[in-house]
């Protein structure tokens, strides 16, 4: 292997490690912040001369913005059993990184898995057989390969956000959490919910160092709890992942080979359409961007029959899309 290729592979490994942290942490070197309009039309990243009228002004799609979808998948990547169509693994965690290459800034949009949107129904080969409106997490459950399922999830997020272009994706199976958790010696948390019905050691208010499957239980559990909404679970995930972030950074500082060895351990849980060169470029870009600004999509969680649905605030979503993906222009 050439020296240049080896350097690219190392940077790709570092980038994947950073992506894993972003996927599982949601706050790498960052903090959350949240923020009468005409509806933004589909095809928000269409031809450069395509103008959109919004809130009394004209806008043009930006060409210096790049979007990368990070996904946490709720089934082991090594499980090759093929259940019936529509019952493959779902995307438990969705984070859209929006990179502004003009200002060299990065915004992370955290998308609730229960967000209602249009979803394609795919055959195992990827042929579209129809659509339905459902929780966005279900998009990853259609298709006969991890790559097809990831692409369907990308399509669903794009449709939700009025047709914006998503350039790349990186996914990790949530079953990789125990692996990563134990690589850093466990993560200590003050238990936020009574989880003793699942694990007797997870007593609300107690300080526990999570090991192995306990970590997955802590970030995944929600059914049967006092507050079973995904919004509340996201708070528990953030608490756990803040602790994981600190451990990862500590281990990375002490051991230069930690990022590469971590990616090798997690390789079987990762799926991406990025080449080594693209990952290397992404690593450089994220480093130059520095602190990432986070947004969570505003909306309301509603219990419908058995399952929760999250209905986004369309006005707030439109503002977000226009701010990040469009520039205001003068029209003659």
């Amino acid at each position: 292997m050439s020296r240049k290729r080896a350097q690219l592979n190392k940077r790709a490994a570092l980038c994947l490690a950073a992506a894993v942290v972003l996927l599982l942490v949601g706050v790498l070197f960052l903090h959350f912040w949240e923020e009468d309009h005409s509806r933004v039309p589909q095809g928000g990243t269409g031809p450069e001369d395509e103008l959109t009228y919004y809130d009394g002004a004209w806008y043009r799609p930006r060409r210096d913005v790049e979007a990368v979808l990070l996904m946490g998948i709720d089934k082991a990547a090594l499980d090759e059993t093929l259940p019936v169509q529509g019952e493959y693994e779902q995307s438990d965690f969705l984070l859209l990184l929006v990179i502004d290459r003009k200002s060299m800034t990065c915004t992370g949009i955290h998308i609730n898995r229960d967000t209602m949107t249009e979803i394609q129904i795919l055959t195992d080969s990827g042929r579209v057989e129809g659509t339905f409106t459902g929780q966005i997490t279900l998009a990853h459950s259609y298709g006969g390969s991890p790559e097809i399922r990831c692409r369907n999830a990308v399509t669903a997020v794009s449709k939700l956000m009025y047709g914006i272009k998503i350039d790349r994706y990186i996914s990790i199976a949530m079953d990789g959490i125990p692996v990563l958790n134990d690589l850093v010696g466990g993560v200590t948390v003050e238990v936020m919910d009574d989880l003793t019905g699942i694990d007797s050691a997870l007593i609300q208010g107690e300080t526990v160092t999570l090991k192995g499957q306990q970590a997955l239980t802590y970030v995944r559990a929600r059914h049967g709890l006092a507050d079973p909404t995904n919004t509340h679970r996201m708070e528990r995930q953030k608490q756990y992942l803040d602790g994981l972030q600190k451990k990862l950074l500590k281990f990375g500082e002490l051991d230069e080979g930690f990022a590469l060895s971590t990616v090798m351990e997690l390789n079987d849980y990762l799926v991406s359409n990025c080449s080594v060169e693209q990952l290397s470029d992404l690593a450089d870009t994220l480093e130059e961007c520095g602190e990432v600004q986070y947004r969570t999509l505003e909306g309301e969680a509603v219990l419908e029959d058995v399952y929760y649905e999250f209905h986004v605030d369309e006005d707030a979503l439109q503002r977000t899309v226009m701010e990040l993906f469009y520039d205001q222009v003068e029209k003659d």
Side-chain angles (χ1 to χ4, degrees):
M1 180 183 295
S2 69
R3 182 175 180 180
K4 181 177 180 181
R5 185 72 177 182
Q7 290 175 337
L8 283 173
N9 283 335
K10 182 178 179 180
R11 290 209 58 78
L14 289 171
C15 180
L16 274 174
V20 168
V21 175
L22 285 166
L23 278 165
L24 302 177
V25 178
V27 280
L28 179 61
F29 303 119
L30 25 127
H31 57 277
F32 280 97
W33 63 287
E34 296 184 9
E35 304 273 277
D36 242 356
H37 308 97
S38 54
R39 183 175 177 83
V40 180
Q42 293 290 329
T45 53
E48 288 190 10
D49 59 353
E50 179 182 330
L51 298 182
T52 295
Y53 189 75
Y54 170 79
D55 196 24
W58 290 97
Y59 290 80
R60 175 177 288 122
R62 297 185 56 184
R63 294 298 164 186
D64 49 12
V65 172
E66 179 180 358
V68 182
L69 183 63
L70 306 179
M71 294 171 277
I73 310 304
D74 72 352
K75 185 179 179 183
L78 295 178
D79 186 351
E80 296 298 332
T81 59
L82 298 178
V84 298
Q85 183 187 57
E87 293 185 3
Y88 296 111
E89 61 263 27
Q90 301 171 8
S91 49
D92 232 26
F93 180 91
L94 291 161
L95 180 68
L96 185 66
L97 286 182
V98 183
I99 301 168
D100 185 332
R101 289 188 175 271
K102 182 177 180 180
S103 63
M104 291 310 294
T105 57
C106 183
T107 301
I109 302 174
H110 196 182
I111 302 170
N112 191 314
R113 74 187 295 278
D114 294 332
T115 299
M116 300 299 289
T117 192
E118 181 183 348
I119 295 170
Q120 293 183 146
I121 301 171
L122 305 182
T123 64
D124 281 351
S125 65
R127 186 178 70 252
V128 179
E129 290 197 323
T131 64
F132 70 100
T133 298
Q135 290 93 339
I136 200 166
T137 182
L138 297 174
H140 194 273
S141 67
Y142 287 91
S145 72
E147 292 76 17
I148 292 175
R149 295 194 284 275
C150 283
R151 290 198 295 270
N152 204 41
V154 166
T155 298
V157 172
S158 175
K159 286 179 178 292
L160 171 69
M161 303 187 72
Y162 310 110
I164 59 97
K165 180 184 177 184
I166 298 174
D167 302 277
R168 287 175 272 171
Y169 64 79
I170 302 172
S171 78
I172 179 173
M174 298 296 277
D175 289 64
I177 291 178
V179 178
L180 183 58
N181 181 84
D182 290 356
L183 283 173
V184 297
V187 174
T188 301
V189 299
E190 181 178 328
V191 181
M192 295 178 63
D193 295 290
D194 180 9
L195 300 172
T196 54
I198 306 172
D199 187 317
S200 60
L202 298 179
I203 303 170
Q204 188 173 16
E206 292 291 315
T207 299
V208 177
T209 298
L210 303 170
K211 295 294 181 66
Q213 288 297 121
Q214 278 186 328
L216 186 57
T217 296
Y218 196 72
V219 300
R220 175 182 279 174
R222 66 167 170 160
H223 297 298
L225 302 183
D227 184 343
T229 66
N230 190 56
T231 302
H232 179 71
R233 178 173 63 173
M234 286 163 63
E235 289 300 312
R236 193 168 65 248
Q237 289 174 341
K238 182 179 183 297
Q239 176 218 24
Y240 165 78
L241 297 170
D242 281 341
L244 176 61
Q245 173 197 358
K246 294 174 184 176
K247 296 293 287 286
L248 284 167
L249 294 175
K250 178 181 178 181
F251 272 68
E253 291 172 356
L254 295 175
D255 181 2
E256 291 184 357
F258 179 73
L260 181 59
S261 63
T262 298
V263 170
M264 292 178 66
E265 290 284 345
L266 293 172
N267 183 62
D268 289 331
Y269 299 94
L270 294 167
V271 178
S272 177
N273 66 342
C274 297
S275 67
V276 171
E277 289 77 9
Q278 288 171 331
L279 286 170
S280 178
D281 177 66
L282 182 57
D284 289 334
T285 301
L286 290 175
E287 182 178 1
E288 186 173 350
C289 286
E291 182 178 350
V292 180
Q293 300 297 319
Y294 265 73
R295 304 187 184 193
T296 55
L297 295 184
E298 299 175 36
E300 180 182 12
V302 179
L303 180 60
E304 294 288 347
D305 297 325
V306 178
Y307 301 106
Y308 275 91
E309 298 179 355
F310 184 79
H311 299 272
V312 296
D313 182 314
E314 293 289 345
D315 286 343
L317 177 58
Q318 290 162 25
R319 285 196 300 272
T320 295
V321 171
M322 296 306 295
E323 289 171 8
L324 297 178
F325 292 93
Y326 285 78
D327 275 332
Q328 185 174 342
V329 296
E330 295 294 334
K331 188 182 181 191
D332 298 332

